[in-house]
Amino acid sequence: QVQLVESGGGFVQPGGSLRLSCAASGSIFGIYAMGWYRQAPGKERELVARVDSGGATNYGDSVKDRFTISRVNAKNAMSLQMNSLTPEDTAVYYCNMEYYNSWGRGIQVTVSS
């Protein structure tokens, strides 16, 4: 009943940038922690970035100086600005809302020459 939809993924060369967005819809009656996760071939799913209900953020160690997570207009939505991308950032990226245990379907990000 709570749906999350990612957008903004695609193909980019090393050193480039992408901006991902996540839009939530359904019966949502508050502000809840949300996060971005990713999974690359042969690797475990890992936390990329998270923003809690009070606006505090945290990042995975491999992205914390390059990526920025933010909320969008006081809604249950968020974006992820990704800069200085490397091939190691290639993965499927997932949007998550913790309270409802809701996940998006994932969106592909490919970084390659």
Side-chain angles (χ1 to χ4, degrees):
Q1 60 182 23
V2 175
Q3 305 290 327
L4 302 177
V5 180
E6 303 96 340
S7 62
F11 185 95
V12 67
Q13 294 186 359
S17 298
L18 285 174
R19 185 177 179 88
L20 304 182
S21 296
C22 175
S25 62
S27 299
I28 303 171
F29 298 99
I31 305 298
Y32 305 102
M34 299 181 70
W36 290 98
Y37 295 75
R38 69 185 183 186
Q39 187 166 20
K43 296 184 177 180
E44 301 289 335
R45 182 176 295 190
E46 64 174 343
L47 173 70
V48 177
R50 179 180 182 270
V51 54
D52 70 16
S53 60
T57 60
N58 65 291
Y59 297 87
D61 185 65
S62 64
V63 309
K64 61 185 176 183
D65 294 325
R66 301 182 294 121
F67 293 7
T68 303
I69 189 172
S70 61
R71 291 187 181 275
V72 180
N73 294 332
K75 298 181 179 180
N76 287 305
M78 62 176 179
S79 63
L80 181 70
Q81 180 66 45
M82 305 185 293
N83 298 324
S84 301
L85 288 161
T86 75
E88 288 68 38
D89 295 314
T90 295
V92 177
Y93 285 70
Y94 298 89
C95 177
N96 169 256
M97 181 177 289
E98 294 179 5
Y99 185 81
Y100 294 101
N101 191 29
S102 182
W103 294 85
R105 295 179 63 183
I107 189 165
Q108 180 70 45
V109 172
T110 301
V111 185
S112 177
S113 298

XYZ file of all heavy atoms in Angstrom:
857
model
N 0.808 -1.201 0.000
C 0.000 0.000 0.000
C 0.850 1.264 0.000
O 0.358 2.331 -0.376
C -0.946 0.003 1.174
C -0.266 -0.041 2.528
C -1.265 -0.073 3.665
O -2.411 -0.466 3.487
N -0.822 0.337 4.842
N 2.079 1.169 0.462
C 3.025 2.275 0.350
C 3.992 1.935 -0.771
O 4.683 0.921 -0.704
C 3.779 2.525 1.658
C 4.838 3.608 1.466
C 2.801 2.930 2.746
N 4.024 2.792 -1.764
C 4.828 2.540 -2.950
C 5.978 3.532 -3.035
O 5.799 4.723 -2.774
C 3.969 2.656 -4.213
C 2.741 1.761 -4.224
C 3.093 0.302 -4.358
O 4.067 -0.056 -5.015
N 2.292 -0.550 -3.726
N 7.140 3.037 -3.408
C 8.314 3.871 -3.639
C 8.778 3.663 -5.073
O 8.846 2.528 -5.550
C 9.450 3.503 -2.679
C 9.153 3.583 -1.182
C 10.367 3.123 -0.384
C 8.766 4.999 -0.791
N 9.100 4.755 -5.739
C 9.536 4.704 -7.123
C 10.810 5.518 -7.277
O 10.827 6.718 -6.984
C 8.453 5.234 -8.082
C 8.953 5.168 -9.519
C 7.171 4.430 -7.933
N 11.865 4.871 -7.751
C 13.127 5.540 -8.013
C 13.153 6.074 -9.444
O 12.537 5.493 -10.340
C 14.312 4.585 -7.815
C 14.404 3.952 -6.436
C 13.784 2.574 -6.375
O 12.952 2.239 -7.250
O 14.127 1.811 -5.445
N 13.906 7.137 -9.639
C 14.108 7.674 -10.974
C 15.470 8.350 -11.034
O 16.068 8.660 -10.009
C 13.001 8.657 -11.358
O 12.981 9.775 -10.486
N 15.963 8.567 -12.246
C 17.185 9.320 -12.445
C 18.436 8.512 -12.704
O 19.515 9.084 -12.875
N 18.326 7.203 -12.721
C 19.490 6.379 -12.987
C 19.873 6.396 -14.452
O 19.263 7.071 -15.277
N 20.923 5.647 -14.765
C 21.364 5.570 -16.138
C 22.831 5.262 -16.254
O 23.447 4.687 -15.354
N 23.401 5.665 -17.371
C 24.789 5.393 -17.720
C 25.578 6.687 -17.661
O 25.147 7.717 -18.186
C 24.845 4.799 -19.136
C 26.208 4.358 -19.567
C 26.616 3.041 -19.417
C 27.087 5.260 -20.145
C 27.869 2.632 -19.824
C 28.347 4.864 -20.554
C 28.734 3.544 -20.391
N 26.755 6.627 -17.039
C 27.603 7.809 -16.924
C 29.063 7.384 -16.958
O 29.408 6.268 -16.549
C 27.279 8.591 -15.629
C 27.666 7.779 -14.390
C 27.960 9.953 -15.623
N 29.925 8.262 -17.462
C 31.356 7.979 -17.497
C 32.004 8.253 -16.145
O 31.490 9.044 -15.354
C 32.026 8.813 -18.580
C 31.580 8.446 -19.988
C 32.358 9.179 -21.058
O 33.237 9.988 -20.775
N 32.028 8.890 -22.306
N 33.134 7.609 -15.861
C 33.840 7.894 -14.607
C 34.106 9.384 -14.441
O 34.479 10.077 -15.395
C 35.132 7.102 -14.745
C 34.778 5.970 -15.654
C 33.802 6.550 -16.644
N 33.918 9.858 -13.225
C 34.076 11.271 -12.927
C 32.807 12.078 -13.083
O 32.765 13.238 -12.655
N 31.782 11.485 -13.663
C 30.533 12.182 -13.883
C 29.624 12.164 -12.674
O 29.975 11.663 -11.604
N 28.424 12.701 -12.871
C 27.448 12.837 -11.796
C 26.079 12.352 -12.239
O 25.737 12.407 -13.427
C 27.325 14.302 -11.365
O 28.541 14.802 -10.854
N 25.310 11.894 -11.274
C 23.909 11.546 -11.463
C 23.138 11.966 -10.232
O 23.706 12.046 -9.135
C 23.710 10.048 -11.688
C 24.072 9.449 -13.039
C 23.940 7.926 -12.969
C 23.194 10.007 -14.143
N 21.850 12.212 -10.422
C 20.967 12.534 -9.311
C 19.792 11.563 -9.328
O 19.039 11.516 -10.301
C 20.468 13.973 -9.408
C 19.637 14.423 -8.208
C 19.241 15.888 -8.342
N 18.437 16.359 -7.228
C 18.919 16.868 -6.110
N 20.231 16.990 -5.947
N 18.111 17.268 -5.141
N 19.638 10.808 -8.250
C 18.530 9.897 -8.089
C 17.437 10.538 -7.252
O 17.719 11.304 -6.331
C 18.973 8.604 -7.410
C 20.114 7.818 -8.053
C 20.374 6.540 -7.253
C 19.796 7.483 -9.498
N 16.185 10.196 -7.555
C 15.054 10.659 -6.772
C 14.194 9.478 -6.379
O 14.145 8.464 -7.081
C 14.220 11.672 -7.562
O 14.962 12.838 -7.847
N 13.499 9.619 -5.254
C 12.587 8.601 -4.765
C 11.296 9.281 -4.359
O 11.308 10.190 -3.522
C 13.185 7.853 -3.571
S 12.068 6.651 -2.808
N 10.187 8.851 -4.937
C 8.875 9.389 -4.628
C 8.037 8.328 -3.930
O 7.952 7.191 -4.408
C 8.175 9.867 -5.896
N 7.413 8.697 -2.813
C 6.571 7.795 -2.047
C 5.108 8.166 -2.226
O 4.758 9.348 -2.298
C 6.940 7.837 -0.565
N 4.257 7.153 -2.267
C 2.828 7.381 -2.366
C 2.093 6.332 -1.541
O 2.650 5.286 -1.210
C 2.356 7.343 -3.816
O 2.591 6.068 -4.394
N 0.819 6.612 -1.222
C 0.011 5.719 -0.420
C -0.400 6.352 0.887
O -0.364 7.571 1.046
N -0.788 5.517 1.845
C -1.288 5.988 3.135
C -0.127 6.237 4.085
O 0.214 5.399 4.928
C -2.271 4.981 3.721
O -3.399 4.805 2.878
N 0.477 7.407 3.960
C 1.616 7.813 4.777
C 1.173 8.983 5.639
O 0.728 10.007 5.126
C 2.813 8.203 3.899
C 3.191 7.047 2.971
C 3.992 8.599 4.770
C 4.210 7.413 1.922
N 1.331 8.849 6.960
C 0.808 9.838 7.896
C 1.878 10.457 8.774
O 1.592 10.957 9.861
C -0.289 9.208 8.764
C -1.463 8.729 7.979
C -1.597 7.396 7.640
C -2.437 9.615 7.569
C -2.676 6.943 6.912
C -3.536 9.180 6.835
C -3.647 7.834 6.507
N 3.098 10.441 8.313
C 4.172 11.051 9.069
C 5.448 11.091 8.262
O 5.477 10.703 7.090
N 6.488 11.589 8.909
C 7.812 11.623 8.315
C 8.636 10.504 8.930
O 8.772 10.420 10.152
C 8.499 12.977 8.543
C 7.617 14.121 8.023
C 9.867 12.997 7.883
C 7.355 14.059 6.539
N 9.187 9.657 8.086
C 9.909 8.484 8.545
C 11.298 8.439 7.943
O 11.564 9.056 6.906
C 9.143 7.213 8.169
C 7.718 7.206 8.661
C 6.663 7.469 7.809
C 7.434 6.943 10.001
C 5.353 7.476 8.268
C 6.128 6.945 10.464
C 5.090 7.210 9.593
O 3.798 7.213 10.054
N 12.161 7.701 8.598
C 13.510 7.533 8.081
C 13.473 6.883 6.706
O 12.708 5.947 6.467
C 14.346 6.685 9.036
N 14.319 7.376 5.822
C 14.441 6.817 4.491
C 15.916 6.650 4.153
O 16.767 7.341 4.709
C 13.775 7.712 3.444
C 12.283 7.909 3.666
S 11.507 8.958 2.399
C 11.597 7.864 0.967
N 16.191 5.744 3.236
C 17.573 5.524 2.867
C 17.730 4.981 1.463
O 16.778 4.491 0.851
N 18.945 5.105 0.990
C 19.357 4.509 -0.273
C 20.305 3.345 0.014
O 21.240 3.474 0.808
C 20.076 5.521 -1.161
C 19.201 6.591 -1.727
C 19.031 7.844 -1.252
C 18.388 6.479 -2.902
N 18.159 8.548 -2.042
C 17.746 7.728 -3.068
C 18.143 5.465 -3.819
C 16.872 7.989 -4.115
C 17.269 5.715 -4.863
C 16.649 6.961 -5.004
N 20.069 2.243 -0.644
C 20.925 1.072 -0.572
C 21.315 0.678 -1.984
O 20.653 1.039 -2.943
C 20.206 -0.097 0.114
C 19.874 0.160 1.565
C 18.823 0.998 1.922
C 20.617 -0.435 2.586
C 18.520 1.248 3.248
C 20.319 -0.197 3.915
C 19.268 0.644 4.232
O 18.976 0.877 5.551
N 22.383 -0.084 -2.094
C 22.777 -0.548 -3.417
C 23.330 -1.959 -3.336
O 23.818 -2.400 -2.294
C 23.812 0.380 -4.054
C 25.184 0.358 -3.401
C 26.097 1.386 -4.031
N 27.439 1.340 -3.472
C 28.403 2.207 -3.756
N 28.164 3.205 -4.610
N 29.603 2.090 -3.197
N 23.258 -2.652 -4.458
C 23.811 -3.987 -4.551
C 24.469 -4.157 -5.911
O 23.828 -3.990 -6.943
C 22.740 -5.058 -4.347
C 23.309 -6.461 -4.268
C 22.311 -7.466 -3.723
O 21.105 -7.234 -3.746
N 22.811 -8.582 -3.237
N 25.745 -4.474 -5.890
C 26.514 -4.725 -7.094
C 26.703 -6.225 -7.276
O 26.624 -6.989 -6.304
C 27.872 -4.033 -7.013
N 26.963 -6.673 -8.503
C 27.190 -8.103 -8.727
C 28.298 -8.644 -7.834
O 29.382 -8.064 -7.747
C 27.581 -8.164 -10.202
C 26.924 -6.973 -10.813
C 27.008 -5.908 -9.758
N 28.015 -9.752 -7.166
C 28.994 -10.385 -6.309
C 29.183 -9.739 -4.954
O 30.070 -10.161 -4.202
N 28.388 -8.727 -4.628
C 28.518 -8.041 -3.358
C 27.206 -8.066 -2.582
O 26.135 -8.263 -3.153
C 28.958 -6.585 -3.566
C 30.342 -6.425 -4.177
C 30.740 -4.966 -4.250
C 32.142 -4.796 -4.796
N 32.531 -3.360 -4.857
N 27.312 -7.851 -1.273
C 26.131 -7.744 -0.431
C 25.480 -6.378 -0.610
O 26.142 -5.400 -0.969
C 26.503 -7.945 1.034
C 27.147 -9.283 1.355
C 26.175 -10.432 1.267
O 24.958 -10.201 1.433
O 26.621 -11.563 1.039
N 24.182 -6.321 -0.349
C 23.514 -5.035 -0.334
C 24.088 -4.180 0.799
O 24.278 -4.666 1.919
C 22.008 -5.206 -0.163
C 21.246 -3.895 -0.179
C 19.742 -4.104 -0.107
N 19.230 -4.796 -1.280
C 17.944 -4.936 -1.559
N 17.026 -4.421 -0.743
N 17.568 -5.591 -2.636
N 24.351 -2.915 0.505
C 24.965 -2.039 1.482
C 24.223 -0.709 1.571
O 23.609 -0.251 0.609
C 26.430 -1.776 1.136
C 26.629 -1.029 -0.171
C 28.079 -0.654 -0.439
O 28.897 -0.679 0.507
O 28.398 -0.332 -1.606
N 24.319 -0.109 2.740
C 23.772 1.226 2.932
C 24.612 2.244 2.181
O 25.837 2.261 2.298
C 23.752 1.583 4.416
C 23.344 3.024 4.742
C 21.862 3.238 4.448
C 23.662 3.363 6.191
N 23.953 3.098 1.419
C 24.606 4.205 0.741
C 24.450 5.489 1.553
O 25.430 6.168 1.862
C 24.043 4.399 -0.673
C 24.689 5.605 -1.356
C 24.246 3.138 -1.504
N 23.214 5.827 1.890
C 22.933 7.048 2.635
C 21.575 6.918 3.298
O 20.700 6.209 2.803
C 22.963 8.277 1.723
N 21.401 7.629 4.410
C 20.161 7.551 5.180
C 19.852 8.910 5.782
O 20.761 9.631 6.189
C 20.295 6.507 6.290
C 19.086 6.331 7.186
C 19.366 5.265 8.231
N 18.233 5.010 9.107
C 18.008 5.654 10.249
N 18.840 6.602 10.661
N 16.950 5.332 10.982
N 18.572 9.248 5.828
C 18.128 10.449 6.511
C 17.000 10.045 7.454
O 16.037 9.400 7.041
C 17.700 11.555 5.521
C 16.648 11.061 4.537
C 17.212 12.784 6.266
N 17.101 10.411 8.741
C 16.090 10.003 9.697
C 14.962 11.020 9.774
O 14.948 12.022 9.066
C 16.710 9.695 11.067
C 17.217 10.930 11.805
O 16.852 12.065 11.445
O 17.987 10.746 12.770
N 13.989 10.745 10.652
C 12.799 11.587 10.715
C 13.094 13.003 11.179
O 12.293 13.907 10.931
C 11.750 10.951 11.631
O 12.248 10.788 12.945
N 14.222 13.203 11.854
C 14.617 14.526 12.293
C 15.554 15.239 11.341
O 15.953 16.376 11.601
N 15.922 14.586 10.248
C 16.780 15.203 9.258
C 18.251 14.859 9.366
O 19.043 15.303 8.526
N 18.635 14.086 10.372
C 20.029 13.681 10.496
C 20.390 12.685 9.407
O 19.591 11.817 9.050
C 20.289 13.079 11.867
N 21.604 12.791 8.889
C 22.051 11.947 7.788
C 23.272 11.140 8.169
O 24.050 11.518 9.047
C 22.382 12.788 6.550
O 23.431 13.714 6.864
C 21.158 13.561 6.076
N 23.437 10.012 7.497
C 24.672 9.263 7.590
C 24.920 8.569 6.263
O 24.003 8.346 5.481
C 24.679 8.275 8.767
C 23.648 7.183 8.625
O 22.448 7.422 8.715
N 24.120 5.956 8.408
N 26.195 8.214 6.029
C 26.621 7.701 4.737
C 27.508 6.488 4.899
O 28.227 6.347 5.892
C 27.405 8.767 3.975
C 26.600 9.994 3.630
C 26.495 11.054 4.525
C 25.945 10.094 2.412
C 25.750 12.177 4.214
C 25.200 11.211 2.091
C 25.103 12.254 2.993
O 24.368 13.369 2.683
N 27.459 5.627 3.899
C 28.437 4.572 3.834
C 29.823 5.145 3.618
O 29.993 6.190 2.983
N 30.826 4.456 4.148
C 32.181 4.989 4.118
C 32.685 5.241 2.699
O 33.431 6.196 2.460
C 33.131 4.030 4.838
C 34.534 4.573 4.959
O 34.723 5.591 5.658
O 35.451 3.989 4.349
N 32.287 4.419 1.753
C 32.800 4.540 0.401
C 32.212 5.708 -0.385
O 32.722 6.053 -1.452
C 32.558 3.239 -0.375
O 31.174 2.994 -0.528
N 31.161 6.340 0.132
C 30.484 7.401 -0.619
C 30.382 8.710 0.139
O 29.937 9.709 -0.438
C 29.067 6.966 -1.061
C 29.109 5.621 -1.764
C 28.107 6.931 0.123
N 30.774 8.765 1.385
C 30.401 9.877 2.264
C 30.971 11.227 1.843
O 30.421 12.264 2.216
C 30.779 9.569 3.710
C 32.251 9.339 3.958
C 32.469 8.924 5.408
C 33.920 8.597 5.689
N 34.100 8.130 7.091
N 32.035 11.264 1.085
C 32.604 12.523 0.623
C 32.169 12.883 -0.792
O 32.571 13.928 -1.319
C 34.133 12.483 0.677
C 34.664 12.391 2.087
O 34.048 12.993 2.996
O 35.700 11.734 2.288
N 31.346 12.041 -1.402
C 30.959 12.240 -2.789
C 29.459 12.344 -3.005
O 29.019 12.955 -3.978
C 31.501 11.099 -3.655
C 33.017 10.972 -3.619
C 33.500 9.843 -4.539
N 33.067 8.534 -4.063
C 32.307 7.696 -4.761
N 31.885 8.022 -5.976
N 31.981 6.512 -4.260
N 28.663 11.729 -2.132
C 27.214 11.686 -2.293
C 26.544 12.556 -1.236
O 27.050 12.702 -0.121
C 26.680 10.258 -2.144
C 27.091 9.292 -3.225
C 28.014 9.625 -4.199
C 26.529 8.026 -3.257
C 28.387 8.721 -5.188
C 26.886 7.114 -4.231
C 27.816 7.460 -5.202
N 25.366 13.093 -1.581
C 24.597 13.902 -0.655
C 23.128 13.501 -0.725
O 22.540 13.496 -1.811
C 24.731 15.405 -0.968
O 26.105 15.788 -0.939
C 23.967 16.223 0.064
N 22.548 13.179 0.426
C 21.141 12.825 0.503
C 20.359 14.025 1.038
O 20.849 14.766 1.895
C 20.923 11.585 1.393
C 19.484 11.075 1.292
C 21.318 11.861 2.834
C 19.267 9.736 1.994
N 19.145 14.219 0.547
C 18.315 15.317 1.012
C 16.841 14.967 0.878
O 16.461 14.143 0.041
C 18.626 16.610 0.257
O 18.369 16.457 -1.131
N 16.036 15.597 1.720
C 14.589 15.470 1.600
C 14.061 16.461 0.571
O 14.745 17.416 0.196
C 13.916 15.717 2.942
C 14.177 14.651 3.976
C 13.339 14.898 5.218
N 13.608 13.883 6.240
C 13.017 12.700 6.302
N 12.113 12.357 5.383
N 13.315 11.852 7.265
N 12.825 16.234 0.137
C 12.209 17.058 -0.894
C 10.913 17.647 -0.363
O 9.942 16.917 -0.125
C 11.926 16.239 -2.166
C 11.285 17.123 -3.224
C 13.206 15.609 -2.694
N 10.890 18.939 -0.147
C 9.688 19.721 0.157
C 8.835 19.132 1.271
O 7.610 19.077 1.170
C 8.849 19.917 -1.097
C 9.534 20.762 -2.135
O 10.355 21.625 -1.803
N 9.212 20.544 -3.389
N 9.466 18.691 2.348
C 8.774 18.197 3.542
C 7.837 17.027 3.244
O 6.935 16.741 4.029
C 8.007 19.315 4.226
N 8.050 16.359 2.143
C 7.289 15.170 1.813
C 8.115 13.929 2.109
O 9.299 13.999 2.404
C 6.890 15.180 0.334
C 5.986 16.330 -0.059
C 5.622 16.254 -1.527
C 4.702 17.378 -1.931
N 4.343 17.314 -3.371
N 7.464 12.800 2.034
C 8.176 11.535 2.176
C 8.830 11.183 0.847
O 8.472 10.203 0.180
C 7.235 10.439 2.654
C 6.868 10.601 4.109
O 7.746 10.682 4.973
N 5.575 10.646 4.400
N 9.791 12.015 0.499
C 10.528 11.856 -0.739
C 11.953 12.320 -0.498
O 12.225 13.078 0.437
C 9.879 12.659 -1.866
N 12.868 11.898 -1.338
C 14.253 12.265 -1.149
C 15.009 12.157 -2.460
O 14.526 11.563 -3.431
C 14.926 11.372 -0.098
C 14.972 9.914 -0.484
S 15.885 8.918 0.735
C 15.708 7.294 -0.006
N 16.206 12.720 -2.459
C 17.083 12.628 -3.612
C 18.481 12.249 -3.150
O 18.832 12.358 -1.971
C 17.111 13.940 -4.388
O 17.629 14.990 -3.589
N 19.278 11.792 -4.089
C 20.669 11.436 -3.833
C 21.510 12.012 -4.960
O 21.401 11.565 -6.103
C 20.839 9.918 -3.764
C 22.251 9.415 -3.467
C 22.630 9.725 -2.012
C 22.366 7.921 -3.741
N 22.324 13.006 -4.638
C 23.260 13.573 -5.591
C 24.558 12.786 -5.523
O 25.174 12.687 -4.460
C 23.513 15.047 -5.284
C 24.495 15.718 -6.232
C 23.969 15.817 -7.643
O 22.820 16.188 -7.841
N 24.803 15.477 -8.620
N 24.976 12.243 -6.652
C 26.164 11.406 -6.725
C 27.189 12.087 -7.627
O 26.930 12.310 -8.812
C 25.821 10.021 -7.264
C 24.729 9.309 -6.476
S 24.453 7.604 -7.042
C 23.784 7.925 -8.678
N 28.341 12.404 -7.066
C 29.411 13.060 -7.796
C 30.661 12.187 -7.814
O 30.807 11.264 -7.019
C 29.739 14.412 -7.166
C 28.585 15.381 -7.195
O 27.810 15.408 -8.145
N 28.476 16.196 -6.146
N 31.569 12.515 -8.718
C 32.847 11.808 -8.829
C 32.653 10.303 -8.893
O 33.316 9.536 -8.194
C 33.763 12.185 -7.659
O 33.999 13.576 -7.628
N 31.760 9.877 -9.753
C 31.409 8.470 -9.832
C 32.551 7.639 -10.410
O 33.297 8.092 -11.278
C 30.154 8.294 -10.672
C 28.866 8.765 -9.986
C 27.762 8.985 -11.013
C 28.432 7.752 -8.930
N 32.669 6.424 -9.904
C 33.666 5.468 -10.357
C 32.975 4.178 -10.770
O 31.816 3.942 -10.419
C 34.693 5.160 -9.256
O 34.104 4.300 -8.275
C 35.170 6.436 -8.585
N 33.667 3.313 -11.511
C 33.048 2.029 -11.868
C 32.589 1.214 -10.670
O 31.650 0.420 -10.792
C 34.168 1.316 -12.639
C 34.946 2.429 -13.254
C 34.939 3.517 -12.224
N 33.227 1.413 -9.514
C 32.832 0.690 -8.311
C 31.470 1.120 -7.782
O 30.905 0.452 -6.910
C 33.889 0.853 -7.221
C 35.191 0.077 -7.483
C 35.991 0.626 -8.654
O 36.037 1.874 -8.816
O 36.581 -0.172 -9.403
N 30.940 2.230 -8.277
C 29.602 2.672 -7.902
C 28.515 1.992 -8.732
O 27.327 2.193 -8.459
C 29.475 4.188 -8.051
C 30.379 4.948 -7.097
O 30.412 4.600 -5.904
O 31.057 5.897 -7.549
N 28.902 1.232 -9.730
C 27.926 0.528 -10.555
C 27.147 -0.463 -9.708
O 27.724 -1.327 -9.042
C 28.622 -0.206 -11.702
O 29.230 0.751 -12.575
C 27.628 -1.036 -12.503
N 25.821 -0.339 -9.720
C 24.972 -1.176 -8.884
C 23.519 -0.863 -9.188
O 23.207 0.107 -9.886
C 25.252 -0.924 -7.396
N 22.633 -1.681 -8.635
C 21.226 -1.349 -8.575
C 20.991 -0.615 -7.264
O 21.362 -1.110 -6.198
C 20.333 -2.593 -8.661
C 18.865 -2.209 -8.511
C 20.554 -3.307 -9.991
N 20.385 0.554 -7.338
C 20.139 1.389 -6.175
C 18.671 1.294 -5.780
O 17.784 1.419 -6.630
C 20.506 2.841 -6.472
C 22.000 3.080 -6.504
C 22.784 2.565 -7.527
C 22.630 3.810 -5.496
C 24.155 2.758 -7.551
C 23.998 4.019 -5.513
C 24.757 3.490 -6.547
O 26.122 3.695 -6.566
N 18.429 1.113 -4.476
C 17.086 0.916 -3.946
C 16.733 2.004 -2.945
O 17.544 2.346 -2.079
C 16.965 -0.431 -3.236
C 17.198 -1.637 -4.117
C 18.472 -2.161 -4.285
C 16.138 -2.249 -4.777
C 18.689 -3.269 -5.090
C 16.347 -3.351 -5.578
C 17.621 -3.860 -5.731
O 17.844 -4.953 -6.520
N 15.505 2.491 -3.030
C 14.947 3.422 -2.066
C 14.197 2.643 -0.994
O 13.501 1.668 -1.300
C 14.001 4.378 -2.792
S 13.133 5.552 -1.741
N 14.326 3.075 0.270
C 13.702 2.377 1.389
C 13.049 3.357 2.348
O 13.603 4.425 2.629
C 14.757 1.551 2.133
C 14.254 1.010 3.459
O 14.597 1.520 4.528
N 13.449 -0.038 3.388
N 11.873 2.989 2.857
C 11.219 3.699 3.953
C 11.074 2.712 5.099
O 10.365 1.721 4.985
C 9.866 4.251 3.531
C 9.161 5.034 4.643
S 7.588 5.769 4.100
C 8.198 7.078 3.022
N 11.731 3.001 6.226
C 11.889 2.007 7.273
C 10.591 1.641 7.978
O 10.343 0.458 8.243
C 12.921 2.493 8.297
C 14.324 2.587 7.721
C 15.339 3.086 8.718
O 14.992 3.274 9.907
O 16.505 3.284 8.315
N 9.761 2.617 8.318
C 8.587 2.343 9.132
C 7.655 1.333 8.469
O 7.070 0.479 9.140
C 7.837 3.645 9.412
C 6.666 3.484 10.344
C 6.850 3.435 11.721
C 5.372 3.376 9.852
C 5.777 3.292 12.577
C 4.295 3.235 10.701
C 4.503 3.194 12.066
O 3.435 3.050 12.914
N 7.497 1.432 7.172
C 6.605 0.542 6.436
C 7.341 -0.645 5.822
O 6.719 -1.463 5.137
C 5.875 1.314 5.343
C 4.920 2.346 5.884
C 5.262 3.692 5.911
C 3.678 1.975 6.383
C 4.388 4.641 6.427
C 2.802 2.915 6.895
C 3.167 4.250 6.908
O 2.291 5.187 7.412
N 8.633 -0.735 6.052
C 9.460 -1.777 5.444
C 9.208 -1.832 3.939
O 9.031 -2.903 3.353
C 9.201 -3.140 6.084
C 10.220 -4.179 5.661
O 11.367 -3.866 5.356
N 9.795 -5.436 5.627
N 9.178 -0.681 3.328
C 8.844 -0.552 1.917
C 10.101 -0.297 1.093
O 10.966 0.498 1.486
C 7.844 0.586 1.712
O 7.460 0.699 0.362
N 10.179 -0.959 -0.034
C 11.311 -0.840 -0.956
C 10.833 -0.521 -2.362
O 9.799 -1.019 -2.804
C 12.113 -2.139 -1.006
C 12.810 -2.481 0.267
C 12.282 -3.143 1.341
C 14.172 -2.185 0.603
N 13.239 -3.274 2.325
C 14.401 -2.703 1.897
C 15.211 -1.543 -0.068
C 15.635 -2.592 2.535
C 16.436 -1.430 0.559
C 16.633 -1.956 1.853
N 11.600 0.300 -3.051
C 11.380 0.472 -4.471
C 11.874 -0.736 -5.245
O 12.514 -1.641 -4.705
N 11.594 -0.744 -6.517
C 12.003 -1.868 -7.358
C 13.478 -1.825 -7.715
O 14.033 -2.826 -8.176
C 11.168 -1.892 -8.630
C 9.689 -2.163 -8.395
C 8.912 -2.142 -9.684
N 9.341 -3.192 -10.592
C 8.861 -3.357 -11.814
N 7.926 -2.531 -12.271
N 9.313 -4.336 -12.567
N 14.123 -0.707 -7.518
C 15.528 -0.549 -7.836
C 15.727 0.144 -9.168
O 14.887 0.066 -10.063
N 16.863 0.816 -9.287
C 17.204 1.510 -10.521
C 18.685 1.313 -10.801
O 19.526 1.386 -9.903
C 16.828 3.005 -10.441
C 16.970 3.683 -11.799
C 17.635 3.725 -9.371
C 16.278 5.037 -11.855
N 19.010 1.052 -12.046
C 20.381 0.745 -12.433
C 21.209 2.010 -12.589
O 20.787 2.978 -13.235
C 20.397 -0.035 -13.749
C 21.794 -0.399 -14.241
C 22.459 -1.444 -13.379
O 21.845 -2.439 -13.005
N 23.726 -1.216 -13.051
N 22.394 2.000 -12.001
C 23.415 3.014 -12.235
C 24.648 2.303 -12.767
O 25.174 1.397 -12.117
C 23.755 3.794 -10.953
C 24.966 4.712 -11.178
C 22.554 4.604 -10.492
N 25.099 2.706 -13.940
C 26.270 2.103 -14.561
C 27.310 3.176 -14.829
O 27.017 4.176 -15.491
C 25.900 1.399 -15.874
O 24.927 0.386 -15.623
C 27.134 0.760 -16.503
N 28.514 2.970 -14.309
C 29.621 3.902 -14.489
C 30.700 3.173 -15.277
O 31.304 2.215 -14.785
C 30.173 4.402 -13.152
C 31.237 5.466 -13.385
C 29.049 4.948 -12.278
N 30.945 3.625 -16.492
C 31.872 2.921 -17.370
C 32.378 3.855 -18.454
O 31.696 4.786 -18.872
C 31.182 1.719 -18.017
O 32.039 1.065 -18.934
N 33.610 3.574 -18.924
C 34.168 4.295 -20.055
C 33.661 3.751 -21.376
O 33.883 4.336 -22.419
C 35.693 4.207 -20.037
O 36.240 4.799 -18.877
